[in-house]
Amino acid sequence: MSLTQKAINLLVTGGCGFIGSNFIRLLLDRHSPLVPVRSVVNLDKLTYAGNLENLADIADDSRYRFVRGDIADTELVRRVLEENRIDAVVHFAAESHVDRSILDSSPFIQTNIVGTQVLLDASRAVGVDRFVQVSTDEVYGSLGEEGFFTEQTPLAPNSPYSASKASADLLVRSYYHTFDFPGIITRCSNNYGPYQFPEKLIPLFISNARNDRPLPVYGDGKNVRDWIHVSDHCAGVAQALLQGRPGEVYNFGGRSEWRNIELTEFLLDLLGKPKSLIQYVKDRLGHDLRYAIDCSKAESELNWSPQVTFKQGLKETVDWYLEHESWCARILSGDYRNYYYQQYGETLNQE
Ligand code: NAD
Ligand code: TYD
């Protein structure tokens, strides 16, 4: 059974973040939308990582509505689902940065676990047709030099971030088994592309290199990540929503493994900057060695495969950041926090 091809009312959580904003833009594309939608409601708390400017170009689309709020707010979530007659939920909202989770795990527990539980209960109460939990390969823990994560790999999260995502995934799983709730879990490798907050490796290093500041490589730089362009991840999430089977897990990856140091050197080449900017710094606590995804299940069951090659995608991403210097500068100065009030005033869309 798949979600019917009728246009649906979709709730996207965390749509002002990196992946959520790319997803909403692709949903509302007039020519080839990822999913046939009647309306898209974006519920986002606008934490430090949420930026309304990411969706400024579609803010006036009549099919789109922004609601500022917390996914852990039971009454608000219930009202948003009911008032907008939501058919399906795609759940991106999360605290997403491993380093921040090492400094303080409390917001990760509150948003990623409690927030997901609140969303699940409200979605079950109103009877949504689908709920896609957007998760990460980091729930599987760390690989050695060989092998790949499959959907059968046991969960073994190593950071407070990945532990909170694994907890949320297990709640989704339990709601399927206990209540026959139509939950689907997707687990993706490291994303890159436009609108990524410049605390993550690629946009941070582009931003530093452009300003001739050092690039802080953790440890010996030999950790491996499997990089996927955000548009490929978004396409996978859309396919999971439309064609995925409730209760199932689907892994997405880019089949593009890079050691951090090799990626850093490639970035410096693209930017025409010297390798002397590389600075090895103290390793991240509990730093996972290697992530790599076997995405053959998604390829065979969801008719999906990654389309963007890493070298081409990274070049385009570098160009995007160079062309959007003011977007980066506003974020780095904290000015984006003022954007909401400048653009919308204090009251608009406050529930
Ligand atoms: P992000 O940090 O860029 O964005 C998160 C968004 O969620 C922000 O807009 C923020 O304001 C919002 N948010 C946070 N707490 C909220 C709350 N309590 N209520 C409502 N909104 C809240 O994150 P991202 O990189 O776009 O990741 C999105 C999702 O994809 C996350 O669930 C993450 O675990 C998952 N994921 C990310 C990657 C990656 O490489 N970035 C890879 C795999 C999976
Ligand atoms: P990151 O973008 O934080 O994603 P994740 O930890 O979720 O994989 O980091 C990607 C890799 O880059 C990871 O191995 C840690 C490393 N890294 C650095 O070496 N220096 C940095 O400043 C950052 C942010 C990350």
Side-chain angles (χ1 to χ4, degrees):
M1 185 184 74
S2 65
L3 196 68
T4 55
Q5 292 292 315
K6 70 170 178 141
I8 57 171
N9 298 320
L10 188 63
L11 174 64
V12 175
T13 69
C16 294
F18 164 46
I19 306 173
S21 61
N22 278 282
F23 185 72
I24 290 178
R25 182 170 295 99
L26 292 168
L27 280 181
L28 294 176
D29 186 276
R30 294 271 174 198
H31 305 294
S32 53
L34 279 184
V35 176
V37 285
R38 189 182 307 125
S39 70
V40 178
V41 179
N42 171 11
L43 173 61
D44 197 298
K45 186 179 174 182
L46 296 181
T47 67
Y48 80 94
N51 184 355
L52 275 177
E53 197 181 343
N54 294 357
L55 285 173
D57 53 325
I58 56 105
D60 294 331
D61 190 310
S62 59
R63 299 166 296 170
Y64 173 71
R65 179 172 178 226
F66 170 66
V67 178
R68 186 181 193 185
D70 191 332
I71 55 163
D73 181 337
T74 307
E75 280 179 26
L76 170 67
V77 169
R78 181 72 182 256
R79 199 161 67 236
V80 167
L81 288 167
E82 282 175 348
E83 278 178 2
N84 297 286
R85 298 173 185 278
I86 295 297
D87 300 301
V89 178
V90 177
H91 176 32
F92 291 99
E95 289 292 334
S96 69
H97 190 38
V98 173
D99 291 327
R100 285 180 187 255
S101 80
I102 294 169
L103 292 172
D104 178 10
S105 61
S106 3
F108 289 75
I109 307 307
Q110 178 61 22
T111 285
N112 300 2
I113 306 177
V114 177
T116 301
Q117 173 253 317
V118 168
L119 271 178
L120 285 169
D121 280 337
S123 300
R124 192 168 81 84
V126 304
V128 300
D129 294 327
R130 283 292 182 280
F131 183 105
V132 178
Q133 156 76 359
V134 180
S135 190
T136 166
D137 60 353
E138 301 189 27
V139 298
Y140 297 123
S142 184
L143 292 164
E145 296 292 335
E146 302 283 317
F148 298 91
F149 296 132
T150 73
E151 289 80 0
Q152 273 71 50
T153 303
L155 301 189
N158 289 322
S159 72
Y161 162 66
S162 54
S164 68
K165 292 295 292 187
S167 307
D169 290 7
L170 291 177
L171 282 171
V172 176
R173 176 192 150 90
S174 76
Y175 276 53
Y176 169 73
H177 282 273
T178 308
F179 306 116
D180 204 21
F181 179 76
I184 292 168
I185 298 168
T186 63
R187 297 192 178 126
C188 190
S189 64
N190 286 63
N191 285 218
Y192 70 97
Y195 299 104
Q196 186 167 28
F197 195 86
E199 65 182 353
K200 305 281 170 67
L201 180 80
I202 288 179
L204 176 71
F205 281 15
I206 295 173
S207 167
N208 283 13
R210 186 171 54 196
N211 296 304
D212 297 309
R213 287 202 303 265
L215 311 190
V217 173
Y218 296 158
D220 60 9
K222 290 190 178 151
N223 304 67
V224 174
R225 295 295 182 264
D226 170 8
W227 293 95
I228 182 172
H229 193 269
V230 64
S231 61
D232 280 329
H233 182 196
C234 290
V237 169
Q239 286 302 97
L241 173 68
L242 291 171
Q243 293 181 24
R245 287 178 290 137
E248 292 293 315
V249 176
Y250 299 96
N251 286 352
F252 302 121
R255 295 192 198 283
S256 177
E257 291 183 50
W258 285 71
R259 287 189 194 281
N260 291 339
I261 188 61
E262 285 157 6
L263 193 164
T264 305
E265 289 175 352
F266 181 48
L267 256 185
L268 286 169
D269 286 342
L270 285 176
L271 286 154
K273 295 288 183 178
K275 308 280 189 300
S276 55
L277 286 177
I278 294 172
Q279 192 171 318
Y280 289 97
V281 298
K282 190 169 162 290
D283 207 356
R284 172 186 280 172
L285 295 177
H287 196 172
D288 285 337
L289 177 66
R290 176 172 166 259
Y291 303 144
I293 281 273
D294 176 347
C295 54
S296 50
K297 179 179 175 185
E299 288 178 326
S300 60
E301 290 194 20
L302 299 180
N303 192 25
W304 170 93
S305 62
Q307 301 295 309
V308 183
T309 63
F310 185 67
K311 287 196 170 175
Q312 183 58 27
L314 191 64
K315 191 179 172 320
E316 287 169 15
T317 300
V318 166
D319 290 344
W320 187 90
Y321 279 91
L322 295 179
E323 284 160 16
H324 291 75
E325 198 168 352
S326 55
W327 178 88
C328 281
R330 278 195 292 279
I331 282 187
L332 293 171
S333 70
D335 274 358
Y336 71 98
R337 290 166 190 273
N338 300 325
Y339 178 86
Y340 175 82
Y341 298 103
Q342 284 169 0
Q343 186 78 0
Y344 296 95
E346 297 262 346
T347 52
L348 184 68
N349 284 328
Q350 301 277 2
E351 293 287 328

